[in-house]
Amino acid sequence: MKKSELDNLVICKKCHTLHRKIPLHHHTKALCRYCDTVIYRNHHNLLNTTLALSITALVLLIVAFSFTIISININGIYQSLDLNSLFIVIFEHQYYLVGIMLSFLIVLFPLMILGSTILLLFLMKLKSSPRLVRQLLILIAKLIPWSMVDIFFISILVAMVKLFDYAQIDLGVAFVAFILVLLLDLVLIKRLSFNELWMNYEETYRGYNANKR
């Protein structure tokens, strides 16, 4: 099958049924004919709204990494938890491998995903650097499964539940920021799929020189 024919096909991410792409009206979506899963949408002003959400998520993530998550008071012993103190404790106990893995999974990879997404959307708005945009799409797809911010936050909630009976817990700024980041992440996942990004990429750079930087 020729490449041009493959470009007109899209696969359902749930049941893996192959479908042929069809043009959609604004604010409509294409559903799988077998399992009714949303395959792709036609969003009006997709790049602008997604870019705004991504920038907001990045700012909130930086806030979450910079301020106190929770403060614990046990019989007059006061201890605050933030990301810096967490890594200090891990490395002081010589859990170097754990510390390095955590730094990638809950800090570097999430920041890289949001930063790459923002750069990607900016370039697509400007209709420039098609090769770099393609590389960013591939990079984001590879990094997303390795982002563990949600798992990290759930582990904090589990620890809080265990401490409620004998400790006074105060929520910090970073705790609220983490909640907002996770909510924005859900909105972004629901709003945007890689099928839509690739389709938007094809439409944006149609007729452009593929080797143009």
Side-chain angles (χ1 to χ4, degrees), residues 115-167:
S116 299
T117 303
I118 292 169
L119 177 59
L120 164 76
L121 295 170
F122 263 121
L123 292 175
M124 290 182 72
K125 278 177 60 64
L126 298 174
K127 297 185 178 180
S128 65
S129 306
R131 179 175 294 181
L132 178 56
V133 170
R134 185 181 184 89
Q135 291 172 345
L136 287 171
L137 281 167
I138 296 171
L139 175 65
I140 294 169
K142 290 181 177 179
L143 288 179
I144 282 179
W146 294 99
S147 176
M148 301 293 176
V149 173
D150 51 347
I151 305 300
F152 173 68
F153 186 71
I154 290 171
S155 66
I156 293 175
L157 293 179
V158 172
M160 287 173 57
V161 170
K162 293 182 177 180
L163 289 170
F164 272 140
D165 291 337
Y166 53 91

Side-chain angles (χ1 to χ4, degrees), residues 59-71:
V59 172
L60 288 170
L61 192 61
I62 293 173
V63 171
F65 291 159
S66 304
F67 292 89
T68 300
I69 303 173
I70 57 173
S71 299

Side-chain angles (χ1 to χ4, degrees), residues 40-56:
Y40 60 95
R41 297 179 176 88
N42 187 348
H43 289 298
H44 179 63
N45 211 16
L46 174 66
L47 295 182
N48 290 332
T49 52
T50 307
L51 180 59
L53 290 173
S54 300
I55 293 174
T56 305

